[in-house]
Amino acid sequence: MNRIELYQGDITEMHVDAIVNAANKSLLGGGGVDGAIHRVAGPKLLEECKKLKGCETGQAKLTLGYRLPARFVIHTVGPVWHGGEIDEKEQLASAYHSSLKIAKEHHLKTLAFPNISTGVYAFPKQLAAQIAIDTVRDFLKDDDSFEEITFCVYDDENYEIYEKLLSS
Ligand code: ADP
């Protein structure tokens, strides 16, 4: 059974157990998807994030979703792209893996990922998509608890990249 879905749109509107946030290390809010998530979730999300004391690149932390339709937000920090020679690929894989792991520990069944690091952090989109899909497929091989993992793409370029990769 294929448990991986592709969806194009705004992740803050998704009715899933958790949406993943492409956050920065402070966890105190930013632009892009992070800004959108905080705007919809409301000020209580920032209050909870302040208590978490930040998050290392490649790690993930969970909060409630507050006013979001999603019950939880998993905040993960992807790497800033510096050319690929300083473990950016491993760190991106780790951001996906850590998010899946914490979701599973909380018995969550449905999860949606944005295209971590492909905005302001400038990770090449094709390579980021390959890493994202490989990491999720690999995780699902040894998992029978997730029902659906959705890649929520925002821009047309990522949509086309994911559509091709997911059909192969
Ligand atoms: P990063 O700093 O990790 O690069 P960004 O938020 O700048 O994070 O971008 C990550 C991805 O999230 C980009 O592909 C961007 O187009 C996408 N994005 C921005 N807003 C939203 C949203 N509301 N829903 C889903 N994806 C979004």
Side-chain angles (χ1 to χ4, degrees):
M1 188 184 71
N2 183 27
R3 291 178 282 162
I4 298 180
E5 292 292 331
L6 179 60
Y7 169 80
Q8 185 174 21
D10 185 348
I11 201 165
T12 65
E13 295 175 1
M14 293 186 73
H15 291 253
V16 284
D17 292 340
I19 58 172
V20 176
N21 181 14
N24 59 45
K25 282 161 81 170
S26 75
L27 299 185
L28 299 181
V33 71
D34 192 349
I37 288 172
H38 277 274
R39 264 195 305 280
V40 178
K44 286 192 173 160
L45 179 60
L46 186 58
E47 266 172 47
E48 187 176 355
C49 282
K50 280 182 185 159
K51 295 185 191 140
L52 299 176
K53 308 270 178 243
C55 181
E56 290 304 314
T57 305
Q59 302 296 305
K61 293 188 177 181
L62 179 134
T63 66
L64 296 175
Y66 299 98
R67 293 186 199 149
L68 288 159
R71 279 169 55 218
F72 298 97
V73 179
I74 295 172
H75 306 263
T76 190
V77 183
V80 178
W81 180 258
H82 288 291
E85 301 300 325
I86 50 169
D87 287 346
E88 293 98 323
K89 299 191 263 314
E90 292 75 12
Q91 286 175 336
L92 186 64
S94 173
Y96 280 93
H97 192 269
S98 303
S99 302
L100 290 159
K101 194 164 161 263
I102 199 166
K104 191 177 166 97
E105 281 163 7
H106 286 81
H107 311 289
L108 308 187
K109 308 265 179 228
T110 55
L111 184 61
F113 281 103
N115 302 138
I116 301 166
S117 286
T118 68
V120 173
Y121 284 4
F123 205 105
K125 289 179 180 174
Q126 176 78 30
L127 183 57
Q130 260 155 14
I131 292 168
I133 292 169
D134 285 353
T135 306
V136 170
R137 279 186 175 154
D138 205 53
F139 196 96
L140 288 179
K141 268 187 213 156
D142 301 315
D143 165 86
D144 55 14
S145 67
F146 281 114
E147 283 168 11
E148 198 166 87
I149 310 287
T150 305
F151 289 110
C152 174
V153 301
Y154 205 53
D155 56 278
D156 293 342
E157 191 186 348
N158 265 318
Y159 184 79
E160 277 163 33
I161 291 170
Y162 271 82
E163 204 182 25
K164 263 201 197 110
L165 285 174
L166 287 172
S167 61
S168 66

